[in-house]
């Protein structure tokens, strides 16, 4: 099926913030938003009144002290719908993942059968396709809400449910986390800007299994010329790649954190401690819990057939986080930039299989640190290797 046409980038000023209104904005602005530095313009008073119910949803932010320059851009678009034929997880209607709340055996790490492994392998391949489609739309001027639209449509084309949608009442089909947002960013009306970095976290539910991955992308030419952007993005990428090399039968889940923190500190970065990797198969989140910081006390050892994510969140500044009043968006407490990469991994008899591995034509990929010239201009390699961790690995005897 045809892909959704690329978003047009407005160059003539702000559009009206009314849902479905394509009129140019007038000078009419919500006074409460103006008082907290949020710019929401409407074309006229009638449109403002019509959209008041949706617009007032942003008012919990009023009085909130933001840690960095990013601001939410409301109103959010309406919840997207899916055809009835698409199989849904148990939380799709009421937001409650009941199957994850079963107390008995919840700490037991499931070993997948060959049939179950085939199921997660298929959904992970589809999830990679969807992430790559979304990543190709990343450019200055495109809103994260548009990226959500692209992801949602790509899921439908693959007869898949976008796992984040209504999971514990999350309102969108993908998480988009720019700049100082660590994770769980809600797609909204803010256009991406030249110089931003943005993480896109995609999960699909297909055939009764979930496939989960994310990557951080550079937005525009300015982003790849910013040494701090490159330092934190490539540190996070390398943290994941080095951690995956540890996967083999008998390895301990707690050891990931030692490797990740060592790599992060070598780049003068820190590791977020609040959020962890997790088991995943027919359940979105389950045992094991995989911290990304050193000297953690995670329990369990790897066995062939276990399936889980590793997804280190790396910061330029403090590892401490806080959550916006939307109860989802997690940001660095000091407003510093942060990056994340995630793969879903299957333990094999001799090592590992990266189920969500990059494809030869996957957008993004590793780049070199920009070289700072004596005149202060940053010039660096934009085209780097497109390879992350190996798709399959055999663990060493060491």
């Amino acid at each position: 099926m045809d892909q959704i046409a690329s978003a047009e980038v407005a160059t003539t000023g702000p559009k009206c913030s009314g849902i479905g209104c394509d009129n140019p904005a007038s000078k009419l602005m919500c006074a409460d938003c103006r008082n907290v530095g949020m710019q929401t313009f409407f074309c006229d008073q009638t449109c403002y009144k019509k959209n008041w119910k949706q617009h007032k949803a942003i008012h919990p932010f009023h009085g909130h002290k933001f840690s960095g320059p990013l601001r939410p851009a409301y109103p959010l678009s309406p919840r997207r719908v899916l055809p009835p034929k698409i199989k849904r997880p148990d939380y799709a209607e009421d937001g409650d993942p009941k199957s994850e709340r079963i107390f008995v055996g919840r700490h037991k790490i499931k070993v997948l059968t060959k049939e179950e492994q085939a199921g997660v392998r298929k959904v992970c391949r589809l999830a990679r396709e969807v992430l790559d489609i979304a990543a190709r739309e990343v450019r200055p001027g495109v809103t994260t809400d548009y990226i959500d639209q692209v992801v949602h449509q790509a899921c439908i084309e693959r007869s898949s449910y976008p796992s984040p949608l209504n999971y514990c009442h999350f309102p969108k089909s993908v998480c988009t986390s720019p700049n100082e947002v660590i994770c769980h960013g809600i797609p909204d009306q803010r256009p991406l800007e030249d110089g931003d970095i943005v993480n896109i976290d995609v999960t699909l539910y297909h055939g009764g299994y979930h496939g989960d991955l994310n990557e951080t992308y550079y937005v525009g030419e300015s982003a790849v010329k910013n040494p701090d952007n490159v330092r934190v993005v490539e540190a996070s990428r390398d943290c994941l790649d080095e951690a995956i090399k540890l996967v083999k039968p008998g390895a301990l889940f707690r050891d990931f954190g030692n490797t990740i923190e060592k790599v992060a500190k070598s780049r003068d970065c820190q590791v977020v401690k609040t959020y962890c990797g997790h088991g995943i198969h027919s359940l979105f989140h389950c045992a094991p819990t995989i911290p990304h910081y050193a000297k953690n006390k995670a329990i369990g050892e790897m066995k062939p057939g276990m399936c889980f994510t590793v997804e280190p969140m790396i910061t330029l500044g403090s590892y401490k986080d806080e959550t916006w009043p939307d109860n989802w968006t997690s940001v660095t407490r000091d407003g510093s930039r942060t990056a994340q990469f995630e793969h879903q991994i299957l333990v094999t008899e001799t090592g590992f299989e990266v189920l969500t591995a990059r494809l030869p034509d996957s957008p993004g990929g590793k780049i070199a640190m920009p070289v700072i010239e004596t005149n202060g201009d940053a010039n660096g390699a934009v085209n780097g290797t497109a390879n992350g961790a190996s798709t399959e690995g055999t663990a060493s005897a060491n």
Side-chain angles (χ1 to χ4, degrees), residues 164-178:
L165 185 61
N166 210 32
Y167 179 81
C168 297
H169 306 289
F170 187 80
K172 294 295 177 180
S173 298
V174 66
C175 296
T176 53
S177 302

Side-chain angles (χ1 to χ4, degrees), residues 9-69:
V9 179
T11 58
T12 58
K15 283 178 53 179
C16 176
S17 295
I19 295 176
C21 182
D22 295 324
N23 294 331
S26 69
K27 294 182 179 181
L28 178 63
M29 183 179 185
C30 174
D32 288 337
C33 291
R34 181 184 60 216
N35 291 338
V36 294
M38 295 170 61
Q39 296 187 354
T40 49
F41 295 93
F42 293 86
C43 60
D44 56 33
Q45 190 72 29
T46 301
C47 194
Y48 177 55
K49 290 180 179 179
K50 179 182 178 182
N51 285 275
W52 170 247
K53 184 177 180 180
Q54 291 83 8
H55 176 68
K56 70 179 181 179
I58 73 171
H59 288 174
F61 289 98
H62 291 177
H64 177 68
K65 185 178 180 181
F66 291 92
S67 65

Side-chain angles (χ1 to χ4, degrees), residues 116-276:
E116 291 168 331
Q117 290 177 33
V120 295
R121 188 174 287 112
K122 180 178 180 180
V123 70
C124 285
R125 185 181 71 251
L126 296 175
R128 164 53 68 182
E129 292 176 3
V130 173
L131 177 61
D132 287 354
I133 289 169
R136 292 187 181 101
E137 300 298 329
V138 172
R139 65 178 66 89
V142 170
T143 66
T144 50
D145 182 72
Y146 176 74
I147 292 174
D148 181 74
Q149 179 186 354
V150 169
V151 167
H152 190 86
Q153 181 63 31
C155 289
I156 291 174
E157 292 170 359
R158 288 157 180 79
S159 299
S160 300
Y161 184 92
S163 301
L165 185 61
N166 210 32
Y167 179 81
C168 297
H169 306 289
F170 187 80
K172 294 295 177 180
S173 298
V174 66
C175 296
T176 53
S177 302
N179 301 339
E180 68 264 31
V181 180
I182 296 169
C183 59
H184 303 156
I186 298 175
D188 63 16
Q189 305 302 327
R190 175 187 178 270
L192 294 173
E193 298 177 0
D194 186 29
D196 284 347
I197 56 176
V198 62
N199 179 272
I200 303 177
D201 193 339
V202 166
T203 312
L204 268 63
Y205 181 73
H206 181 93
Y209 301 97
H210 296 272
D212 189 5
L213 76 162
N214 73 59
E215 292 192 21
T216 301
Y217 301 94
Y218 300 97
V219 183
E221 290 298 315
S222 296
V224 298
K225 295 178 181 178
N226 182 323
D228 283 340
N229 279 349
V230 177
R231 177 158 60 93
V232 72
V233 170
E234 300 309 327
S236 180
R237 192 195 312 270
D238 291 346
C239 283
L240 175 59
D241 289 350
E242 292 302 312
I244 289 173
K245 294 176 183 178
L246 302 178
V247 178
K248 63 180 180 180
L252 303 179
F253 290 110
R254 68 186 182 208
D255 288 343
F256 285 125
N258 297 328
T259 293
I260 290 169
E261 189 157 317
K262 181 179 179 180
V263 174
K265 287 186 173 180
S266 73
R267 315 291 175 82
D268 197 23
C269 294
Q270 296 198 47
V271 181
V272 174
K273 297 183 178 182
T274 303
Y275 303 98
C276 301

Side-chain angles (χ1 to χ4, degrees), residues 251-259 289-291 293-300 302:
L252 303 179
F253 290 110
R254 68 186 182 208
D255 288 343
F256 285 125
N258 297 328
T259 293
T289 296
I290 301 174
Y293 55 89
K295 299 180 181 178
N296 66 77
K297 297 182 180 179
I299 59 175
M302 300 172 212

